[in-house]
Amino acid sequence: VYKRQGKVTAAEIPTDWVIDTIRRTAPTLGSERLEIRNLFGDLRIRPTDQEEIQLSAMIQRHVDDPLRAEVLTGDRDGTYRIEVSYPAVEGADPAMDPAEWQKRRVDLTVFVPAKRPVSLETDRGLLEIKGLDHGIEARSAHGDISVVTGGPLIARTGRGSINCRFSATDWRAAVELETLTGPIGVILPAEADVAVTLTTFGELTTDYSLTVSKASRLTPKTAHATIGEGARQLFMTSNRGNLKLVREPF
C-alpha cells in the first residue's frame, strides 16, 4: 500500500492501517540450499558472512483485517525454506474481503550466508538480489527482478523487467534471463568473456557487434555477440520485451 522509499513517518500512515514487524535470526543447520518465497510483496536478499539467516518482515494491514501474516522457516531434505504465509482464519474468506483489506502486503528482507545457492520467488513484488555469487534462481510471476552478482543466474518473469549487473563472467553454468513482455537489461564487466544469444520481437540495444537473423511475423529475431573468447554463455530471451546489452563504464 505505502511503498515510499526510506523511512515512513507515523503521520504518513492512515489511522486505520498498521505496520507490524517480524525480526528473526535462525541457524540454517548446515542446509546446502536456500529457498525463499514471498507472494505478498517485495523480496530483498543481501549477503552475510554468518552461518545464520537474519530476516525482517514489514507487514501492512487494515486494523479490522483478521488475517495475520507469518514467516515460516525450517529445514527439510537439505533445503532451508522461508515463506510468507497467511494462515486460515475460521469464518474469514480472503476472496470476500473488502477491497481495502485486500491491499495487505508483506515486504521481506533476508540476509543469507553468502556462499549458499538460493532459489527465490515473488508474485508481483520486486525481487532484488545483491552480493550473492554462488548460484541464483529468481522467479516472479509479474514483478521486476534486479540482480548484482558475479555468479551464475537463472531469472524469469512475465510482464516484469530483469536488470542485471555482472561483476564477473567466470560462471560455472550458462546464465538464462527470460521475460514474456518485460525488458531485459544487462551490464557486463570490461573483461567479459561471453557468447551472448538475444531473442525477441522487441528492440535490441547494445555496445557490442551483433550478428542478427531476420524476424518474420511468427519468428522473433535472434542475435549473437561474441565478447572476448566467448567462454561462457548468456541467453537473453523475451517474447516482446526490448533487450539491452552494454559494457560497464570504465
Side-chain angles (χ1 to χ4, degrees), residues 140-141 143 145 155-163 176-185 199-200 236-243:
S140 184
I145 299 175
R156 294 187 171 93
T157 183
R159 294 192 296 271
S161 64
I162 298 177
N163 286 287
E176 301 176 24
L177 311 176
E178 183 177 351
T179 71
L180 182 61
T181 58
I184 302 175
T199 304
T200 186
M236 301 170 62
T237 306
S238 182
N239 185 2
R240 298 194 301 275
N242 298 333
L243 308 183

Side-chain angles (χ1 to χ4, degrees), residues 199-201 214-221 239:
T199 304
T200 186
F201 281 105
K214 279 189 174 183
S216 67
R217 186 172 62 86
L218 299 177
T219 305
K221 56 179 167 287
N239 185 2

Side-chain angles (χ1 to χ4, degrees), residues 69-81:
E70 296 180 347
V71 180
L72 307 179
T73 60
D75 179 89
R76 187 174 64 196
D77 301 326
T79 297
Y80 193 87
R81 292 177 171 86

Side-chain angles (χ1 to χ4, degrees), residues 129-146:
I129 309 113
K130 292 182 179 180
L132 300 183
D133 298 332
H134 290 265
I136 300 168
E137 293 183 13
R139 303 183 306 278
S140 184
H142 301 294
D144 295 337
I145 299 175
S146 175

